[in-house]
Amino acid sequence: MRTIGLLGGMSWESTVPYYRIINQAVKETLGGLHSAELVLVSVDFHPIEQLQHRGEWEATGRILAEAAQSVEAAGAECLVLCTNTMHKVATQIQKSVGIPLLHIADATGSGVKSAGMLRVGLLGTKFTMEETFYRKWLEDNHKLEVMIPDEQDRDTVHSIIYEELCLGIVQERSRATFSGIVETLVGKGAQGVILGCTEIAMLLRAEDCPVSLFDSAELHAKYAARWALTETR
């Protein structure tokens, strides 16, 4: 089994499921009392969030590159960045270490393609929905057609993520709002919807939507577990 390196804390609410899902996947594969070999470095999200909203992405990349180097130094053999939005600086982070970064959009895109879908909606922070670093990865590498909500709905989704979910707040009215946004995307032709922010699965459940939901955090964690189990020492 290879050692997985988790870079989390963005937010810590969504980092917790990574640990659980990876260990469950290893146990399901190997049985008994087996669990994953992993390293976790968790950063303080507050200064990173401040830099995000000021557009100082290179500075966020430097913070995460330094954290990634700590992950590698602790013995990790791959890097799992437990966030969608910060994959905006994935290239900067990857250049700082000698271990492979397992890209969340590869895990998500593979999950969508395995379900036989080509046209999907995307929910996430405004950075993830509006900028090209995530959508283009899915389009270029997985040949998906990616749809995003209209501007007002993007603002709403972004606000709920930062003002509620990242703080561990789950409200029924927000669940209803997200469900309505999903229905709008489906009405425009989406065959499924990517939960492209690792916190959204705290709010939106399969029973809340008329189409399949692709939880990027779960797909990413399982992807990492499969990677770790492809080679034994």
Side-chain angles (χ1 to χ4, degrees):
M1 188 190 315
R2 293 185 284 186
T3 302
I4 297 168
L6 300 180
L7 180 47
M10 300 163 281
S11 67
W12 71 263
E13 293 281 354
S14 64
T15 302
V16 172
Y18 271 85
Y19 185 80
R20 173 178 51 80
I21 293 166
I22 289 170
N23 278 292
Q24 286 174 339
V26 169
K27 181 181 178 182
E28 286 170 7
T29 301
L30 301 181
L33 295 176
H34 283 288
S35 55
E37 296 182 12
L38 58 80
V39 172
L40 168 62
V41 171
S42 188
V43 297
D44 179 6
F45 188 37
H46 180 81
I48 292 173
E49 181 272 332
Q50 297 290 300
L51 291 168
Q52 286 178 340
H53 284 96
R54 293 202 300 266
E56 297 181 32
W57 293 100
E58 186 176 349
T60 66
R62 286 197 298 271
I63 292 170
L64 295 186
E66 184 176 337
Q69 289 166 355
S70 297
V71 172
E72 183 177 28
E77 295 170 83
C78 74
L79 181 65
V80 175
L81 186 58
C82 305
T83 162
N84 287 274
T85 297
M86 293 314 301
H87 276 74
K88 179 175 170 66
V89 293
T91 300
Q92 186 178 351
I93 296 168
Q94 178 65 89
K95 287 179 178 178
S96 73
V97 294
I99 56 177
L101 184 151
L102 306 186
H103 202 292
I104 195 168
D106 281 332
T108 303
S110 295
V112 173
K113 291 296 287 290
S114 293
M117 297 182 189
L118 295 174
R119 185 183 303 111
V120 287
L122 172 64
L123 300 180
T125 65
K126 289 183 70 174
F127 311 118
T128 300
M129 291 186 289
E130 294 178 355
E131 300 187 34
T132 59
F133 70 92
Y134 195 87
R135 288 187 288 114
K136 194 171 190 310
W137 193 286
L138 291 170
E139 291 163 354
D140 290 352
N141 297 298
H142 299 277
K143 309 306 177 188
L144 299 177
E145 180 182 344
V146 182
M147 307 166 59
I148 60 173
D150 63 26
E151 184 176 5
Q152 183 176 346
D153 285 345
R154 294 197 301 271
D155 288 341
T156 298
V157 170
H158 187 88
S159 159
I160 289 172
I161 289 169
Y162 279 97
E163 296 174 18
E164 297 177 20
L165 300 181
C166 286
L167 298 173
I169 299 168
V170 177
Q171 302 196 74
E172 286 300 324
R173 68 171 181 267
S174 296
R175 180 175 286 126
T177 297
F178 267 57
S179 296
I181 293 170
V182 168
E183 289 178 5
T184 299
L185 288 169
V186 172
K188 293 179 179 179
Q191 299 168 305
V193 172
I194 293 171
L195 307 185
C197 174
T198 51
E199 285 82 13
I200 298 179
M202 296 165 56
L203 181 68
L204 209 53
R205 306 161 303 192
E207 60 265 32
D208 299 319
C209 302
V211 294
S212 295
L213 300 177
F214 296 92
D215 177 358
S216 58
E218 180 179 8
L219 290 167
H220 199 200
K222 290 181 176 179
Y223 186 84
R226 288 194 299 272
W227 183 91
L229 292 168
T230 57
E231 180 178 301
T232 56
R233 293 199 289 269

